[in-house]
Amino acid sequence: MAWARGPWFVTEDAGEALGGKLSTVAFPIESFGVSHKGCVRDHNEDNYLVEQQAGLWVVADGMGGHEAGEVASASIVDHLATIGIASSAPDLRARFEDRLSRANAEIRNISRSRGITIGSTFAALLAMDGRFAGLWAGDSRIYLVRGGAISQISRDHTEVQELLDRGMISAEEALTWPRRNVITHAIGVSDELVIDFQQGELMLGDVFVLGTDGLTAHVSDAEIEAAVKSAPPQAACEKLLEMVLARGGTDNVTIVLVRIGDGRAGRPPHAGQSKAEG
């Protein structure tokens, strides 16, 4: 497994993400996920996982067409659903790497048996002992709303993002670039995994938003921020989904929200959700 990195990452080695001597502070967590095929597609290639007790949340956006893309995203979710309860943050990281490697191998085998290339983007949040790690491949995103402001802690693996990083096109040009949706990394498309990560300390009031590109194609960062600040995770997820569908829902859409240390909802946290819906 290769861990890609860029100038936006922390200085710790990839092997230390969620590792080392960590705080033992325990935060109450509330989370929820939704998924829908959208208004145009006839099936849903997205999948998601909410394993709150394990400290794991995932969205996955399959690619490869009917009965292929959904197989790839389901493989990621199914393998990660077996992660269990880790004994430590390094153990959680190791379990995650193992399950994701198994999913990659399974998807590769399916691709070879069918003579086609299939794969899936993913974005995942791991949380344990007062720390978090966001991990991703492709253009499924991870946002963090903290202190009243939203920031994207993932970095899209797309051709257009690479052009932006090199200064070859402007942000305005990127919005209409012909190949703006071409993915450069995904699970299952090669034998070697290339995964980016970001990690840091959890803070009370943090809200993490994991979403496939069906969300970000229709809803702005500012609108995501407003939705998660005004409602608990379930209501915010449902509000964001309604916005996507009202605007045409041109792709499958999946959203997972994780709120740290905020009990305003007054309900027990949702756990054990998975799979595509709608």
Side-chain angles (χ1 to χ4, degrees), residues 108-139:
R108 295 291 291 156
N109 288 334
I110 294 171
S111 293
R112 283 188 282 266
S113 68
R114 297 187 182 186
I116 58 175
T117 298
I118 66 175
S120 179
T121 73
F122 88 95
L125 175 70
L126 307 180
M128 191 172 187
D129 294 341
R131 292 182 69 86
F132 74 87
L135 308 100
W136 69 94
D139 62 352

Side-chain angles (χ1 to χ4, degrees), residues 19-34:
K21 186 176 181 181
L22 303 179
S23 165
T24 57
V25 175
F27 295 118
I29 298 175
E30 183 184 4
S31 55
F32 196 82
V34 294

Side-chain angles (χ1 to χ4, degrees), residues 100-110 112 187-188 191:
L100 197 62
S101 294
R102 294 185 191 184
N104 189 71
E106 180 176 76
I107 297 167
R108 295 291 291 156
N109 288 334
I110 294 171
R112 283 188 282 266
I187 305 303
D191 291 330

Side-chain angles (χ1 to χ4, degrees), residues 1 71-84 91 93-112 118 122 187-193 195:
M1 178 180 294
V71 170
S73 63
S75 177
I76 292 172
V77 164
D78 289 346
H79 280 283
L80 288 174
T82 70
I83 201 166
D91 181 36
R93 183 197 68 239
R95 290 172 183 234
F96 180 89
E97 293 174 12
D98 172 71
R99 270 61 171 187
L100 197 62
S101 294
R102 294 185 191 184
N104 189 71
E106 180 176 76
I107 297 167
R108 295 291 291 156
N109 288 334
I110 294 171
S111 293
R112 283 188 282 266
I118 66 175
F122 88 95
I187 305 303
V189 299
S190 66
D191 291 330
E192 182 180 35
L193 289 177
I195 300 169

Side-chain angles (χ1 to χ4, degrees), residues 35-38 43-44 276-278:
S35 187
H36 197 282
K37 69 179 182 180
H43 66 288
N44 194 349
E277 304 164 351

Side-chain angles (χ1 to χ4, degrees), residues 136-175:
W136 69 94
D139 62 352
S140 290
R141 292 181 178 178
I142 307 170
Y143 290 94
L144 170 59
V145 179
R146 172 180 285 178
I150 189 171
S151 60
Q152 183 181 335
I153 64 173
S154 60
R155 189 82 163 183
D156 293 350
H157 293 146
T158 59
E159 284 190 6
V160 73
Q161 186 64 57
E162 290 183 355
L163 293 172
L164 278 168
D165 292 343
R166 295 172 186 168
M168 299 176 67
I169 62 173
S170 66
E172 292 73 20
E173 290 174 316
L175 296 175

